[in-house]
């Protein structure tokens, strides 16, 4: 990925980074995605979307396993991103695979709820 530094966030209590693996992107999240992280996430997800389109990605994995907390405002950022994918022509859509930590019960409930926005595009794995 040519703009890898453009696809990362490093805050005091939250970090996110993206790497390419073939025609997939892997977005790793860690820390706490609270109001302090919202603007960074709002900025990052459109860049991930653009990169996925640029490389004709078939999938973006979002690794939540090291994320301790995510507030509803940050979840809204994901809903907006999912909506953008759903607005693409079928041939340009890509799948989202959400990786969750079974020890963090909030992830199971919240990620399965997120999946409801696009059941044909999103899968959740523990």
């Amino acid at each position: 990925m040519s703009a890898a530094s453009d696809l990362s966030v490093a805050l005091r209590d939250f970090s996110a980074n993206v790497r390419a693996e073939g025609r997939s992107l892997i977005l790793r999240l860690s820390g706490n995605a609270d109001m302090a992280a919202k603007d960074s996430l709002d900025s990052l997800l459109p860049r991930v979307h653009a990169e996925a389109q640029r490389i004709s990605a078939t999938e973006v994995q979002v690794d939540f396993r090291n994320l301790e907390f995510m507030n509803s405002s940050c979840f809204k950022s994901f809903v907006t991103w999912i909506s953008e994918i759903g607005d693409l022509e079928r041939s340009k859509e890509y799948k989202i695979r959400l990786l969750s930590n079974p020890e963090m019960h909030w992830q199971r409930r919240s990620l399965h709820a997120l999946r409801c926005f696009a059941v044909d595009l999103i899968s959740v794995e523990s």
Side-chain angles (χ1 to χ4, degrees):
M1 206 165 4
S2 60
S5 62
D6 193 37
L7 293 173
S8 65
V9 172
L11 303 175
R12 195 184 86 198
D13 293 325
F14 174 75
S15 68
N17 62 69
V18 178
R19 70 179 171 86
E21 194 171 281
R23 288 186 54 209
S24 294
L25 295 177
I26 300 168
L27 168 58
R28 287 200 167 86
L29 307 173
S30 62
N32 291 300
D34 55 17
M35 284 308 290
K38 183 179 180 342
D39 289 344
S40 295
L41 200 55
D42 282 346
S43 174
L44 176 65
L45 292 175
R47 294 191 320 261
V48 170
H49 181 62
E51 182 66 9
Q53 290 180 285
R54 188 186 74 75
I55 68 168
S56 299
T58 56
E59 177 182 78
V60 175
Q61 293 179 28
V62 184
D63 188 343
F64 285 84
R65 292 177 292 191
N66 290 316
L67 192 68
E68 298 289 327
F69 171 78
M70 181 176 276
N71 72 7
S72 60
S73 296
C74 290
F75 270 106
K76 184 181 181 305
S77 302
F78 278 90
V79 172
T80 300
W81 175 37
I82 292 163
S83 177
E84 292 288 323
I85 298 166
D87 289 344
L88 294 172
E89 296 174 21
R90 274 269 198 243
S91 63
K92 295 181 180 183
E93 286 181 347
Y94 52 90
K95 305 287 186 191
I96 299 175
R97 186 168 13 149
L98 307 175
L99 306 177
S100 69
N101 181 338
E103 301 296 315
M104 295 189 202
H105 300 290
W106 70 267
Q107 288 186 5
R108 179 183 171 124
R109 289 186 307 274
S110 298
L111 298 182
H112 282 280
L114 195 58
R115 182 178 181 270
C116 292
F117 286 95
V119 294
D120 53 332
L121 296 176
I122 301 172
S123 63
V124 180
E125 295 179 14
S126 300

